[in-house]
Amino acid sequence: APSGSHQLPFGSWATAATNLEEAIRLTQVAMSLGATNQAKTVLVTNGVYALLQSVRMTQPMTVRAVNRRAAVVDALDEGPCFYMNHANAVLDGLTIIRGWIPDATGGAGGTWIGGSGGKVLNCALTNNLGTYGVPSTVFISSAAGVVSNALIAHNTRTTQQNWCGALYMTAGLLVDSTVVSNQGLVAGLRADGGTVRGDEEARALGE
């Protein structure tokens, strides 16, 4: 919470973490150490949360906005936002903006769903940027990767290669999402694998 006092163990809104990446990191550390009383959900209230580094989610945990898309995660055009690599890692209801991939190191500016999977639910991903050899916004590279009920809009790929301005998938599932007003040689969706369900297919492929 932007108005929290950032006091461990972040047990109330008054003492809540103001640094989202630290709250997620400490939750995962406690889980890996077997802290059975450690919450597996990080609730994020309204506000803007600047990221100083990419957030890695490799444990079965959920990061959920209290009010859908009113919690904004801003990477400040300094680096990628999220890397997910667990089938039960979940981002729910966030707005993810200004993630950036500057080179061919892999991933995506907004969210990269790695080989073990992850779920992006009810999120908005906007104003993310990709340059050389990577998609600007979302990369699904796992059969256990899911993007559902998402808005993916106004993202940009700056170099003219066969990478997309919005979402690239080699596996996984895209369902009931809107992909619109993105820029790139392939502006919307590039699917070399996986499954697209819902009327978003026509919108994404028609850009």
Side-chain angles (χ1 to χ4, degrees):
S3 60
S5 61
H6 201 78
Q7 297 177 21
L8 288 169
F10 310 137
S12 69
W13 290 122
T15 61
T18 56
N19 184 318
L20 179 60
E21 59 205 84
E22 183 173 356
I24 295 171
R25 181 182 63 81
L26 291 176
T27 298
Q28 293 186 105
V29 168
M31 292 172 66
S32 67
L33 294 175
T36 57
N37 62 342
Q38 176 66 40
K40 296 183 180 180
T41 297
V42 174
L43 295 176
V44 188
T45 194
N46 300 9
V48 178
Y49 300 84
L51 292 184
L52 301 180
Q53 60 184 2
S54 178
V55 175
R56 299 176 64 87
M57 296 177 61
T58 58
Q59 296 283 343
M61 66 174 300
T62 296
V63 179
R64 175 176 293 128
V66 174
N67 297 298
R68 184 179 295 184
R69 299 179 182 172
V72 179
V73 180
D74 185 352
L76 306 172
D77 294 323
E78 294 290 336
C81 291
F82 290 97
Y83 169 67
M84 310 177 75
N85 200 30
H86 194 289
N88 292 317
V90 179
L91 295 173
D92 188 354
L94 303 174
T95 293
I96 299 169
I97 67 172
R98 295 203 294 174
W100 179 50
I101 290 287
D103 52 36
T105 54
T111 302
W112 176 14
I113 301 176
S116 294
K119 299 177 178 67
V120 178
L121 312 177
N122 309 308
C123 291
L125 299 103
T126 67
N127 296 296
N128 297 285
L129 178 66
T131 52
Y132 180 83
V134 291
S136 67
T137 310
V138 180
F139 178 22
I140 308 175
S141 57
S142 168
V146 177
V147 174
S148 177
N149 194 32
L151 170 65
I152 304 174
H154 305 293
N155 304 285
T156 302
R157 265 286 278 116
T158 58
T159 54
Q160 296 302 307
Q161 296 178 332
N162 292 328
W163 293 89
C164 59
L167 186 147
Y168 174 50
M169 57 192 302
T170 58
L173 176 64
L174 172 68
V175 60
D176 294 337
S177 297
T178 298
V179 182
V180 66
S181 300
N182 299 285
Q183 298 181 28
L185 187 61
V186 179
L189 166 67
R190 175 178 169 179
D192 291 341
T195 302
V196 179
R197 294 179 184 165
D199 63 352
E200 78 280 356
E201 180 173 17
R203 291 197 297 272
L205 296 178
E207 289 190 309

